[in-house]
Amino acid sequence: MTSAETAPPPPMRLRELVFGAACAAAVRAAARLGVADALENTPMAVEDLAAAVKTEPKPLRRLLRALSCYGVFAEQPDGTFAHTEMSRLLREDDPNSLRAIALWCTEPWTWDAWPRLDEAVRTGTNVVEDLYGKEFFTYLNEDAPESADVFNRAMTRSSEQSAREVAALLDLSGAGSVADIGGGQGHVVACLLDKYPEMRGSLLDLPRVVENALPRLREGGDLAHRARIVPGDAREAIPVPADVYIIKNILEWDDESTARLLRNVVEAGGPGTRVVVIENLVDDTPSMRFSTAMDLLLLLNVGGAKHTTDSMVSRLTAAGLRVEDIRPVNPYLHAFDCHVTG
């Protein structure tokens, strides 16, 4: 039986790499079929699994065999299949579930875009506008609502998981207010308000985003009396005063948009204000394969980019911020702790 840990020689490894789409498609198929949800805590026969997910047993066995080569599910000596640490992450009910992320990274548009990566590398621009005739998020919302829903669910789940880690990392003792810029549904703000009962928090994001802010932050919610929800575009203005500004995973656009947002934060906060920027990095991180892949996907869909440590520091410094500390939040996020100069 092929082991997930087997290290093949270079020629075979390259053959495996060029079949990477097969691995991604297999993960997507298992997620869409709900195989991980149907598999119980004890090994199951393929026939029983097939009945549970309404597939044919023979092709399901082929799918599971392929995935087990990568450590997603494990084939037992008697031919049954069992969960692994990775396959459990495809369960919808797992607290660390990556099912939504697995679906988002393999949505139909990605299969159209990846073959044109050489074009994006030559031109330095996204390929989505040429493919679909409109900007990426406009395309999602107007022409691919199911994919837009997958994106929203993936970002929500990712934010839920990382928000707890961000709140645990940051020491905001002595700060009376915090503002999350481009903070989505407000998971980071909610976690920080839970941690600091006397603190007030603001959430700024696009109107269509904050319409779906966490119920806890909205009228009637348990944090509503300490929370302010502000619809707006941070690239245009930041009408939110705060002692601390959080900017998480949004400095991935073109350079001008990034510079404009940072200038707006500096103007809103003024000298001495603390600004914490949290981003994926494509250097000095345990998650290089993931981060560099996301970097290429950003090039394809919006013409954006992930940052190196140096590129992030240079952008922050140019905007008038003094970087005082850089710390890992988790294996794929780093926090840049800064203060406005002047």
Side-chain angles (χ1 to χ4, degrees), residues 296-325:
L296 294 178
L297 195 62
L298 280 168
L299 172 61
L300 289 172
N301 63 6
V302 295
K306 295 291 185 182
H307 293 281
T308 64
T309 304
D310 287 345
S311 71
M312 191 74 260
V313 169
S314 67
R315 282 163 173 77
L316 296 174
T317 302
L321 293 164
R322 182 177 64 255
V323 180
E324 298 180 346
D325 190 24

Side-chain angles (χ1 to χ4, degrees), residues 30-53:
R32 284 173 59 85
L33 291 169
V35 177
D37 296 292
L39 182 57
E40 298 173 0
N41 289 327
T42 55
M44 289 180 66
V46 169
E47 291 75 15
D48 294 332
L49 263 178
V53 299

Side-chain angles (χ1 to χ4, degrees), residues 243 270-275 320-324 337-342:
D243 297 328
T273 301
R274 185 178 176 187
V275 179
L321 293 164
R322 182 177 64 255
V323 180
E324 298 180 346
D337 213 330
C338 315
H339 281 84
V340 177
T341 59

Side-chain angles (χ1 to χ4, degrees), residues 165-219:
E165 295 168 320
V166 169
L169 175 76
L170 295 182
D171 182 358
L172 303 188
S173 303
S177 60
V178 62
D180 192 0
I181 306 303
Q185 295 174 314
H187 294 285
V188 169
V189 166
C191 286
L192 288 171
L193 293 183
D194 282 337
K195 183 177 180 180
Y196 297 101
E198 303 303 317
M199 181 178 284
R200 302 187 67 83
S202 297
L203 168 66
L204 171 69
D205 212 319
L206 298 172
R208 59 180 168 79
V209 176
V210 295
E211 282 177 3
N212 297 308
L214 294 175
R216 297 186 66 196
L217 303 175
R218 289 186 266 140
E219 186 176 355

Side-chain angles (χ1 to χ4, degrees), residues 6 115 135 152 210 233 300-301 319:
T6 300
E135 183 268 340
N152 291 333
V210 295
D233 187 341
L300 289 172
N301 63 6

Side-chain angles (χ1 to χ4, degrees), residues 126 128-129 132-140 208 301-302:
N126 78 76
V128 163
E129 289 187 44
Y132 304 120
K134 52 187 71 175
E135 183 268 340
F136 178 63
F137 285 105
T138 302
Y139 160 73
L140 278 190
R208 59 180 168 79
N301 63 6
V302 295

